[in-house]
């Protein structure tokens, strides 16, 4: 049996990762695993050992230790019968990258990294709008967003640069409207 295929989906907060992953799932039959969603679900479990730790990281826009996040991703992959995964919001920093490489990295085929490149002001505007519309997310507020942007620039961009050097990054201009971003993404997925 061939190795599961993986596309990492990266970009700033509100860049449109979740929105476009839904489109990719519908048209190209990948399974979408959002690291943020998996962490939020773990935080909500009454018996989770990590609830408080995850909550603090999410509010501060900092990154949860990889042992937790990687295990959640691995469990979700094993629970799925699928062979193609979009892993959204991971790897987010060096710790995520090392944890992935030393656990499941060798067991999958990384196809490429989809980078949704979105201006900071647009990211903030979208998340604030999402919060005002009732997202219920503890981090859709200006204070958390400023911290999330700092984490993205300082910790996540170096990971994108690392993949760029390996020629694995497919960049999409994500500040455009949903339909135009989607048209660009179709071009990247249609031949795989
Ligand atoms: N191209 C776009 N133009 C305008 N609004 C968008 C666009 N893409 C997504 N949105 C909206 O912006 C908000 C953030 O989108 P989404 O949740 O897909 O981003 P994300 O990158 O997954 O965010 P996060 O990292 O915070 O989870 C949502 O309310 C979504 O409807
Ligand atoms: N690899 C990751 C991904 C996310 N987090 C934490 O979750 C927050 C929300 O993530 P979204 O992708 O849904 O925006 C993020 O700010 C982190 O606190 C993480 O720790 N590790």
């Amino acid at each position: 049996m061939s190795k599961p295929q993986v596309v990492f989906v990266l970009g700033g907060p509100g860049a449109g990762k979740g929105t476009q992953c839904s489109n990719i799932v519908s048209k190209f039959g990948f399974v979408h695993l959002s690291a943020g969603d998996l962490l939020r679900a773990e935080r909500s479990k009454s018996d989770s050992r990590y609830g408080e730790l995850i909550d603090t990281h999410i509010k501060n826009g900092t990154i949860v230790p990889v042992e937790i996040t990687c295990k959640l991703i691995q469990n979700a992959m094993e629970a799925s019968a699928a062979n193609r995964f979009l892993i959204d919001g991971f790897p987010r920093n060096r710790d995520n990258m090392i944890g992935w490489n030393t656990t499941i990295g060798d067991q999958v085929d990384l196809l490429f990294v989809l980078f949704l490149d979105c201006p900071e002001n647009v990211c903030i505007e979208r998340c604030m709008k999402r919060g005002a519309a009732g997202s219920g997310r503890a981090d859709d507020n200006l204070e958390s967003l400023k911290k999330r942007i700092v984490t993205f620039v300082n910790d996540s961009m170096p990971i994108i640069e690392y993949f760029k050097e390996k020629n694995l990054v497919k960049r999409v201009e994500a500040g455009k409207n949903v339909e135009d971003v989607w048209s660009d993404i179709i071009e990247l997925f249609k031949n795989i």
Side-chain angles (χ1 to χ4, degrees):
M1 175 113 162
S2 61
K3 289 181 181 181
Q5 297 179 322
V6 163
V7 173
F8 289 140
V9 183
L10 296 176
K17 301 181 293 295
T19 302
Q20 299 298 342
C21 281
S22 297
N23 286 338
I24 299 165
V25 167
S26 303
K27 191 169 173 74
F28 296 106
F30 279 71
V31 162
H32 175 210
L33 300 178
S34 154
D37 285 350
L38 290 168
L39 288 166
R40 281 183 285 274
E42 177 65 25
R43 178 190 56 180
S44 302
K45 284 187 193 161
S46 55
D47 59 346
S48 173
R49 288 162 56 196
Y50 306 118
E52 252 183 66
L53 177 95
I54 293 172
D55 197 49
T56 304
H57 278 290
I58 288 181
K59 283 181 182 144
N60 288 325
T62 48
I63 304 303
V64 172
V66 72
E67 294 74 19
I68 300 172
T69 314
C70 219
K71 195 70 206 155
L72 293 172
I73 294 172
Q74 212 167 356
N75 290 346
M77 287 176 78
E78 282 165 14
S80 164
N83 205 41
R84 283 177 146 191
F85 297 93
L86 297 169
I87 303 191
D88 162 3
F90 186 94
R92 245 349 202 267
N93 64 2
R94 203 174 130 76
D95 174 58
N96 275 191
M97 190 74 248
I98 292 170
W100 173 267
N101 285 341
T102 52
T103 53
I104 27 181
D106 285 346
Q107 298 162 40
V108 304
D109 267 340
L110 176 62
L111 298 180
F112 59 89
V113 177
L114 177 63
F115 172 32
L116 299 187
D117 193 0
C118 190
E120 255 176 54
N121 62 317
V122 177
C123 285
I124 292 175
E125 201 180 297
R126 287 183 190 167
C127 291
M128 289 301 286
K129 206 167 153 192
R130 182 174 64 186
S135 69
R137 281 182 56 153
D139 56 355
D140 276 346
N141 58 76
L142 205 51
E143 198 188 336
S144 293
L145 274 163
K146 283 183 186 160
K147 294 176 182 169
R148 290 163 74 194
I149 296 277
V150 168
T151 300
F152 178 69
V153 171
N154 292 344
D155 300 344
S156 306
M157 273 313 294
I159 299 301
I160 294 169
E161 292 299 330
Y162 164 83
F163 283 124
K164 216 184 258 177
E165 278 169 26
K166 292 183 165 280
N167 241 348
L168 280 168
V169 173
K170 294 185 191 281
R171 177 189 169 277
V172 166
E173 170 50 58
K176 303 187 289 188
N177 66 51
V178 173
E179 293 71 28
D180 288 349
V181 178
W182 174 228
S183 304
D184 292 348
I185 291 176
I186 289 175
E187 292 305 307
L188 303 177
F189 276 81
K190 69 181 186 192
N191 293 321
I192 58 168

